[in-house]
Amino acid sequence: MPKTSKVEDKTNKSDKHPERQVLEIRDLHTQFSTHDGVVKAVDGVSFDVIEGKTVGIVGESGCGKSVLARSVLQLIEHPGQIVGGKVLYRDYAEGEEAASQNDILALPSGGSEIRSIRGGHISMIFQEPMSSFSPVHTIGNQMVEALRLHKPISKVEANEQAVDWLHRVGMPNPSERIRAYPHELSGGQLQRAMIALALSTNPSVLIADEPTTGLDVTTQAQILELLGSLQEEQGMAMMFITHDLGVIAEIADDVLVMYLGRVVEEASVTQLFQSPQHPYTKALFTSMPGTGEIEDNRLPTIKGSVPEPHSRPAGCFFHPRCDSFMSGTCDIAEPELLAVNGQQKASCFLYSEGE
Amino acid sequence: MTSESVPITQSPDPNDMDDDVLNVVGLKKYFPVTRGFIRRHTSMVRAVDGLTFSIKSGETLGIVGESGCGKTTASRCIVRSLEPTEGQIWFRTAAGDVVDLAKLSQSQMRPFRRDIQFIFQDPYTSLNPRMTIFEIIAEPLVVNNVGNRREQEDRVSSLLRRVGLAPEYMKRYPHAFSGGQRQRIGIARALALNPRLIVADEPVSALDVSVQAQVLNLMADLQSDLGIAYVFVAHDLRVVRHICHRVVVMYVGRVAEIGNPDDLFRAPKHPYTEALISSLPAIEPSKRKRGTMSLSGEVPNPANPPSGCFFHPRCPYAVEKCRVEAPEVREIEPGRFTSCHRTEELELVGSDD
């Protein structure tokens, strides 16, 4: 539960240099044409991914968080289509001055440039680690292949680096395990192998799409710990997609809350947990067991369910479920994402009235 | 009905069964590991290895643990969709008779099936996509010859209303419903024959938080209105703490600890419980746990468990005794059981959250 008392902020990391944006996502639109109509899965989302920091993207199923993550790497397949926006990537590897901005979305799909970015500069890990591995090749072969695709090194060197990475992610017996096939590893080990595969090319951004969902709490804690410490060593930026506010509390620096394709709130993790502003965010917090006072053993709930994405309500998409609904405003006009409290932004008419 | 031929026996101590719906004693389920072409039995996977607990009517008993701890196997043995290898499952019928379900044949089991229902984890695969909602919910009524078609329709519409869905939905098919609505349909079906016990295997883990809260509230309402007892199998400790009256913590087929959820959380009596609590994600960023993790390693293979206490290779407090001697489950306070040799010496840390 968000508390108002000031508490020691453990989330500040020591800043070596001023914040540098690795990715700038601007007005991204991704939509799907379905039989029921056009689904605007990502509908005008903008945010920055900062070097060495983690931006958490949280929302319920259907809010567009995974489509957002995949859009960044042009990984959208038919019938989906990225219809607008920019994903500006800046590579600081060659020094601050040399850093030029590339629009990833402008790169020809399937071309060599986008392929060198995918898995090289920007890596992605998934909820289901089997989707990152081929079942018919050993873990080692797949890591060596990925390494040699992005780095000019020999097979022997690549093999050494792969063993080293398996060791770093805490794989027991890495020089043995490198010869294992994916099915021979447990879920937690496969998750570790996937992280090793994704990070072995030293990417500047790691996109993690629900990487701990479905794991036991103990394994989840181990994986979050691992990702946090690897981030400190590598200085990579992370984009962390999850439905779990507890995971956000553990790992994020900044948070976007999404609902039906749009960002409804944007805040630092401390602000978000201390004083959530958007009614949807507030409701998400109170419906989590163990976060607030409970009357008669009943959890506070959000009424109704998430509407069908192809028929989003008029006005604010959340208004039919909102306890602060103002008739004549919320059901007519669409709220904008505006600053409400310093850096914190929310798209709600409760806050635009007074200004 | 075959109820006449059912061996009705008394549990070892009938007084203990007074308000117990279910009393599980020494439940074991072993799966043979077969090797090679002649399918030699080479070893046993001890999925559940001596589980003892009881549930009162109107009570929710949680079973928690990491995957592979045997919680799903245990829940399936209770409903006899798996045959227990050993042990007793005393069930108290509405008439007050006490029956050992473990001893019944499948046909003798039939009359008791209406009293014990199951709710599944995945609301997408647990409903037959070719059946209408009416057919799904009325199926237990049809199978048990309860009422004619009109009565069944009335029953289904009242059940739908009971779980918060409109009765008009009964002509639709499952694909038209969201995950939370499907889970409500699964609950309505489980309620159709007025069960006394519902075994729910991870009923909310596939749902979004806002929907999860709705389903948990529904389950709590049904319990207070109808006095149903739940066996609630889950891995989410916060959900378990919210809904359960008592919790069994399992590790590799055995009981690590039993207690009421607040006691377990505030003052765990088994190092494994402590480790599970410390692994929970923080509820706010100022309480981040990074760097404080104590539990390493993975759940051992139940076909080849460690010696002594199964938890000793991962336990930060393990001593020689733990490596050698398998601990018994002991009652250390009324209603509080643990299977740790060193409970009394250890000061385990819980959580106030």
Side-chain angles (χ1 to χ4, degrees):
Chain A
M1 191 61 204
K3 289 206 178 120
T4 42
S5 61
K6 284 276 168 204
V7 275
E8 189 199 350
D9 190 352
K10 288 196 201 171
T11 61
N12 274 343
K13 291 178 183 164
S14 54
D15 287 8
K16 285 182 206 130
H17 23 237
E19 294 193 339
R20 303 198 293 190
Q21 286 98 335
V22 194
L23 280 180
E24 290 169 48
I25 288 125
R26 292 290 171 267
D27 202 23
L28 185 65
H29 290 263
T30 303
Q31 61 190 35
F32 290 77
S33 314
T34 69
H35 290 298
D36 298 317
V38 173
V39 171
K40 295 184 175 172
V42 177
D43 191 15
V45 171
S46 303
F47 63 98
D48 293 340
V49 182
I50 313 279
E51 199 177 30
K53 295 216 166 185
T54 301
V55 53
I57 297 169
V58 68
E60 297 179 280
S61 22
C63 73
K65 54 192 191 300
S66 287
V67 176
L68 171 63
R70 302 182 75 95
S71 300
V72 168
L73 283 174
Q74 270 199 39
L75 288 171
I76 299 295
E77 284 167 9
H78 185 79
Q81 207 186 351
I82 301 170
V83 292
K86 287 188 165 109
V87 174
L88 302 169
Y89 170 66
R90 209 185 277 269
D91 184 8
Y92 292 102
E94 298 135 35
E96 181 102 26
E97 281 71 36
S100 61
Q101 248 182 352
N102 263 325
D103 182 2
I104 295 177
L105 300 185
L107 300 175
S109 64
S112 64
E113 291 156 293
I114 184 80
R115 278 189 286 140
S116 87
I117 286 181
R118 277 186 209 141
H121 299 275
I122 305 177
S123 281
M124 190 158 176
I125 57 177
F126 302 90
Q127 176 179 349
E128 182 41 70
M130 275 309 280
S131 62
S132 292
F133 287 105
S134 152
V136 297
H137 297 103
T138 62
I139 301 289
N141 277 343
Q142 300 184 54
M143 289 187 72
V144 167
E145 188 194 4
L147 278 163
R148 295 192 68 207
L149 196 66
H150 296 288
K151 288 183 191 173
I153 50 174
S154 72
K155 269 193 182 173
V156 178
E157 283 172 304
N159 203 59
E160 277 169 14
Q161 290 191 13
V163 172
D164 182 46
W165 266 103
L166 288 177
H167 179 70
R168 287 176 73 180
V169 298
M171 179 79 76
N173 247 331
S175 42
E176 291 275 316
R177 285 275 141 183
I178 197 161
R179 287 195 289 273
Y181 287 89
H183 73 268
E184 295 175 299
L185 302 180
S186 73
Q189 287 178 344
L190 204 54
Q191 210 82 14
R192 286 171 194 271
M194 178 176 65
I195 292 169
L197 176 72
L199 294 186
S200 61
T201 55
N202 297 319
S204 32
V205 184
L206 177 69
I207 301 178
D209 187 2
E210 304 259 13
T212 62
T213 307
L215 297 178
D216 286 315
V217 278
T218 48
T219 317
Q220 166 169 290
Q222 292 168 3
I223 297 290
L224 292 179
E225 173 108 39
L226 173 68
L227 286 172
S229 62
L230 288 173
Q231 181 177 40
E232 267 164 40
E233 287 168 32
Q234 306 279 114
M236 69 196 174
M238 264 204 278
M239 203 172 134
F240 202 101
I241 287 94
T242 179
H243 68 282
D244 187 340
L245 283 166
V247 172
I248 290 285
E250 284 289 334
I251 200 152
D253 297 296
D254 298 295
V255 188
L256 304 179
V257 182
M258 286 185 72
Y259 189 72
L260 284 175
R262 294 208 178 147
V263 175
V264 295
E265 181 154 2
E266 182 179 345
S268 77
V269 70
T270 320
Q271 284 174 324
L272 191 83
F273 279 74
Q274 280 185 355
S275 60
Q277 298 292 321
H278 196 281
Y280 177 62
T281 320
K282 291 182 188 171
L284 276 185
F285 276 113
T286 54
S287 56
M288 265 164 68
T291 52
E293 301 87 65
I294 287 167
E295 277 173 47
D296 295 340
N297 209 25
R298 291 186 66 84
L299 290 164
T301 58
I302 308 178
K303 63 186 175 215
S305 53
V306 181
E308 292 295 327
H310 51 77
S311 57
R312 297 183 296 185
C316 170
F317 300 154
F318 188 60
H319 85 257
R321 307 179 71 193
C322 184
D323 286 336
S324 316
F325 167 63
M326 295 174 287
S327 180
T329 309
C330 302
D331 49 351
I332 293 167
E334 293 187 1
E336 279 180 67
L337 189 64
L338 297 170
V340 289
N341 178 12
Q343 297 288 306
Q344 190 167 9
K345 295 178 185 169
S347 69
C348 178
F349 289 114
L350 287 176
Y351 305 102
S352 54
E353 294 288 274
E355 282 169 35
Chain B
M1 292 284 164
T2 52
S3 53
E4 286 82 7
S5 62
V6 168
I8 294 192
T9 5
Q10 291 295 304
S11 75
D13 184 357
N15 296 330
D16 279 358
M17 277 291 286
D18 265 357
D19 17 296
D20 289 355
V21 181
L22 194 76
N23 204 335
V24 174
V25 183
L27 182 69
K28 293 184 181 177
K29 176 65 191 175
Y30 295 174
F31 295 98
V33 181
T34 54
R35 270 258 161 82
F37 156 80
I38 53 165
R39 301 184 66 76
R40 271 178 304 132
H41 287 195
T42 50
S43 60
M44 286 288 188
V45 174
R46 299 169 176 224
V48 176
D49 195 15
L51 189 62
T52 300
F53 61 83
S54 62
I55 308 162
K56 295 183 176 30
S57 68
E59 188 185 56
T60 304
L61 179 99
I63 305 183
V64 298
E66 292 168 279
S67 40
C69 74
K71 52 192 196 297
T72 294
T73 306
S75 71
R76 305 227 160 188
C77 285
I78 295 169
V79 296
R80 289 284 307 273
S81 67
L82 285 174
E83 293 299 323
T85 308
E86 216 182 293
Q88 294 131 39
I89 304 169
W90 300 101
F91 176 71
R92 190 187 180 85
T93 64
D97 299 326
V98 178
V99 186
D100 183 2
L101 300 180
K103 300 251 177 343
L104 303 185
S105 69
Q106 286 294 345
S107 62
Q108 287 172 325
M109 183 71 198
R110 280 197 74 172
F112 301 101
R113 293 217 174 269
R114 14 163 90 203
D115 282 338
I116 306 176
Q117 294 290 325
F118 205 86
I119 300 175
F120 295 90
Q121 171 174 6
D122 186 346
Y124 290 89
T125 53
S126 58
L127 304 180
N128 186 337
R130 291 166 184 267
M131 287 165 79
T132 63
I133 301 311
F134 170 77
E135 287 167 331
I136 288 170
I137 298 176
E139 194 177 32
L141 302 170
V142 174
V143 169
N144 285 282
N145 289 319
V146 179
N148 58 29
R149 170 84 190 193
R150 275 235 23 205
E151 286 161 346
Q152 287 169 357
E153 272 180 23
D154 289 348
R155 177 76 179 139
V156 170
S157 50
S158 84
L159 284 168
L160 280 172
R161 265 195 296 270
R162 191 68 198 80
V163 299
L165 295 172
E168 300 84 73
Y169 288 167
M170 71 166 88
K171 296 203 175 59
R172 299 199 193 168
Y173 288 87
H175 72 84
F177 296 91
S178 68
Q181 288 171 324
R182 285 171 196 231
Q183 207 56 310
R184 287 169 191 271
I185 293 165
I187 293 173
R189 176 186 160 104
L191 291 176
L193 293 166
N194 293 320
R196 308 186 62 228
L197 175 70
I198 291 182
V199 179
D201 187 2
E202 304 265 11
V204 296
S205 31
L207 305 176
D208 280 318
V209 268
S210 70
V211 183
Q212 170 179 298
Q214 294 170 355
V215 172
L216 288 175
N217 285 346
L218 172 65
M219 289 183 69
D221 289 349
L222 293 171
Q223 183 167 60
S224 59
D225 295 352
L226 308 171
I228 303 171
Y230 294 119
V231 174
F232 193 98
V233 177
H235 71 279
D236 187 329
L237 289 172
R238 292 215 169 90
V239 169
V240 165
R241 185 182 190 182
H242 168 72
I243 197 161
C244 295
H245 303 102
R246 244 149 17 97
V247 180
V248 179
V249 182
M250 282 183 75
Y251 190 70
V252 202
R254 295 187 177 168
V255 171
E257 185 170 355
I258 301 179
N260 83 48
D262 283 339
D263 290 348
L264 276 181
F265 258 80
R266 294 209 182 96
K269 294 289 179 200
H270 193 288
Y272 181 58
T273 317
E274 181 189 49
L276 285 180
I277 294 167
S278 84
S279 307
L280 280 176
I283 54 166
E284 53 181 286
S286 62
K287 295 188 178 166
R288 265 186 198 188
K289 306 209 171 155
R290 237 190 260 159
T292 62
M293 262 297 300
S294 55
L295 193 64
S296 56
E298 298 184 341
V299 181
N301 181 351
N304 183 21
S307 63
C309 171
F310 289 171
F311 189 57
H312 87 256
R314 301 172 81 188
C315 180
Y317 314 107
V319 293
E320 189 53 30
K321 189 182 184 190
C322 308
R323 276 179 269 280
V324 187
E325 194 183 317
E328 296 285 318
V329 181
R330 302 177 281 142
E331 186 163 16
I332 47 167
E333 289 158 29
R336 195 75 191 277
F337 299 82
T338 177
S339 68
C340 177
H341 286 307
R342 303 192 61 204
T343 298
E344 284 81 3
E345 317 160 43
L346 299 174
E347 285 185 19
L348 302 176
V349 183
S351 161
D352 293 328
D353 299 338

